[in-house]
């Protein structure tokens, strides 16, 4: 698996100042729950409200998990996603006092883990909540520190998260268990129908097709789609970490593009460094179709499925153009 530690210079954000952050985090009380910097989503239910009428206060470190949590919880949850701006880098986010107040009032928290959002662990530790349920995605799917943290790009892991969030909601609010089961069924069979179909179609038609990519964010998706990643893992890691790739890796990729060993090139448009820009330009010059992905929900306000489906359609179109299938 690829790595992606909690720092990357290519994004336009500051690194966490621990002393300042700690002072801000511990200065707030555990009773407040409003926030000015975070994005709160009040979701409409799929079906009528029932049971206890309770609303679970949920905080997600990133909006891709927050979007899923909102749709699974419907009218019985209120979800706040701390990272909700496409220009914010989840690796290097600097929590605010408002974020700390939000976390302090949370009954359920969702963080990615695997070194991706270490700031969220500090936020939770500084603001302990009584009886709060916590979900760390990396631990749940069995990816250890040093592994590829981009689990929202793994279709299998996404479905595991759906199961876990639903189970947690039912434990927190047993009276509404049937409602949460209904939400999950609707989400998986109807809401994610387009997402699931695209994944199945691409895998059935293009499995084994060699591709190139700009960074490790693409790796879990390539695995889920059955595509063959030819880009050296060390290059993918370097780009995700914000470090300089080796001359050897760059030469390898240049040859792969020049000799058309890869059928398509997929890059993260939120982390387009000069090296990546040069590869995109060369791929296009060689007639190799280029597809884009982003690290967080784009555009702002998009749902998880809208975002992912649009990207999958782009990859499918690139593969069709490259292979004639």
């Amino acid at each position: 698996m690829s790595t992606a530690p909690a720092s990357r210079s290519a994004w336009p954000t500051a690194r966490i100042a621990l002393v300042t952050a700690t002072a801000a985090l511990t200065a707030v009380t555990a009773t407040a729950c409003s926030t000015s910097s975070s994005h709160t989503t009040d979701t409409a239910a799929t079906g009528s409200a029932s049971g206890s009428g309770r609303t679970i206060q949920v905080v997600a470190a990133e909006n891709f998990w927050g979007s899923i949590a909102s749709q699974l919880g419907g009218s019985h949850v209120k979800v706040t996603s701390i990272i909700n701006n496409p220009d914010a880098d989840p690796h290097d986010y600097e929590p605010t006092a408002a974020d700390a107040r939000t976390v302090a009032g949370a009954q359920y928290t969702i963080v990615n883990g695997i070194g991706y959002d270490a700031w969220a662990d500090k936020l939770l530790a500084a603001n302990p909540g009584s009886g709060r349920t916590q979900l760390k995605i990396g631990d749940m799917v069995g990816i250890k520190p040093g592994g590829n943290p981009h689990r929202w790009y793994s279709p299998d892991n996404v479905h595991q998260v759906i199961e876990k969030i639903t189970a947690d909601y039912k434990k927190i609010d047993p009276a509404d268990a049937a409602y949460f089961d209904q939400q999950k069924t609707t989400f998986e069979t109807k809401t994610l129908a387009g997402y699931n179909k695209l994944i199945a179609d691409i895998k059935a038609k293009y499995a084994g097709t060699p591709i190139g990519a700009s960074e490790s964010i693409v790796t879990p998706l390539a695995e889920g789609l059955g595509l063959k990643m030819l880009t050296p893992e060390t290059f993918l890691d370097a780009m995700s970490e914000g470090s300089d790739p080796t001359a050897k890796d760059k030469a390898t990729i240049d040859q792969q593009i020049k000799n058309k060993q890869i059928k398509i090139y997929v890059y993260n448009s939120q982390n387009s460094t000069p090296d990546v820009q040069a590869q995109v330009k060369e791929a296009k010059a060689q007639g190799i179709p280029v597809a884009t992905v982003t690290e967080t929900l784009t555009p702002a306000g998009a749902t998880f499925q809208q975002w992912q489906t649009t990207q999958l359609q782009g990859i499918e179109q690139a593969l069709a153009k490259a292979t004639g299938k």
Side-chain angles (χ1 to χ4, degrees), residues 202-209 316-325:
I202 292 171
K203 191 170 186 177
K205 186 178 286 189
Y206 304 109
T209 302
E316 183 181 46
Q317 289 165 6
L319 287 165
K321 182 178 180 181
T323 64
K325 295 182 183 179

Side-chain angles (χ1 to χ4, degrees), residues 64-98:
F64 36 80
W65 296 128
S67 176
I68 292 173
S70 293
Q71 295 176 81
L72 290 173
S75 63
H76 288 297
V77 303
K78 184 176 183 181
V79 178
T80 301
S81 294
I82 295 175
I83 298 291
N84 60 81
N85 186 335
D87 293 329
D89 180 7
H91 295 265
D92 289 346
Y93 183 72
E94 185 175 351
T96 66

Side-chain angles (χ1 to χ4, degrees), residues 132-175:
R132 183 169 64 207
T133 302
Q134 301 183 34
L135 170 60
K136 183 174 285 189
I137 305 296
D139 291 349
M140 193 270 294
V141 300
I143 304 297
K144 296 180 179 179
N148 190 313
H150 307 104
R151 304 329 304 171
W152 60 100
Y153 268 105
S154 165
D156 287 345
N157 286 166
V158 167
H159 287 287
Q160 286 178 272
V161 171
I162 290 169
E163 292 287 341
K164 179 60 175 172
I165 290 176
T166 300
D168 286 343
Y169 282 166
K170 290 162 67 175
K171 288 180 182 178
I172 296 169
D173 181 13

Side-chain angles (χ1 to χ4, degrees), residues 1 27 34 37 39 69 72 91 102-103 126 149-150 155 178 181 195 219 223 264 275 284 312 317:
M1 281 297 196
S34 63
S37 64
H39 174 68
L72 290 173
H91 295 265
T102 302
V103 167
H150 307 104
D181 281 336
Y195 168 81
T219 303
E223 292 172 349
I264 69 169
D275 285 320
K284 290 180 177 179
L312 286 165
Q317 289 165 6

Side-chain angles (χ1 to χ4, degrees), residues 194-195 198-199 202 291-292 305-320:
Y195 168 81
L198 277 165
I199 291 167
I202 292 171
T292 62
Q305 64 272 13
Q306 289 169 340
W307 170 55
Q308 287 288 316
T309 297
T310 297
Q311 295 182 146
L312 286 165
Q313 288 171 337
I315 291 172
E316 183 181 46
Q317 289 165 6
L319 287 165

Side-chain angles (χ1 to χ4, degrees), residues 26-85:
T26 54
V28 299
T29 67
T31 56
C33 61
S34 63
T35 176
S36 59
S37 64
S38 303
H39 174 68
T40 302
T41 303
D42 291 298
T43 54
T46 304
S48 59
S50 61
S52 69
R54 178 180 179 182
T55 300
I56 304 171
Q57 300 296 320
V58 182
V59 175
E62 298 89 11
N63 59 4
F64 36 80
W65 296 128
S67 176
I68 292 173
S70 293
Q71 295 176 81
L72 290 173
S75 63
H76 288 297
V77 303
K78 184 176 183 181
V79 178
T80 301
S81 294
I82 295 175
I83 298 291
N84 60 81
N85 186 335

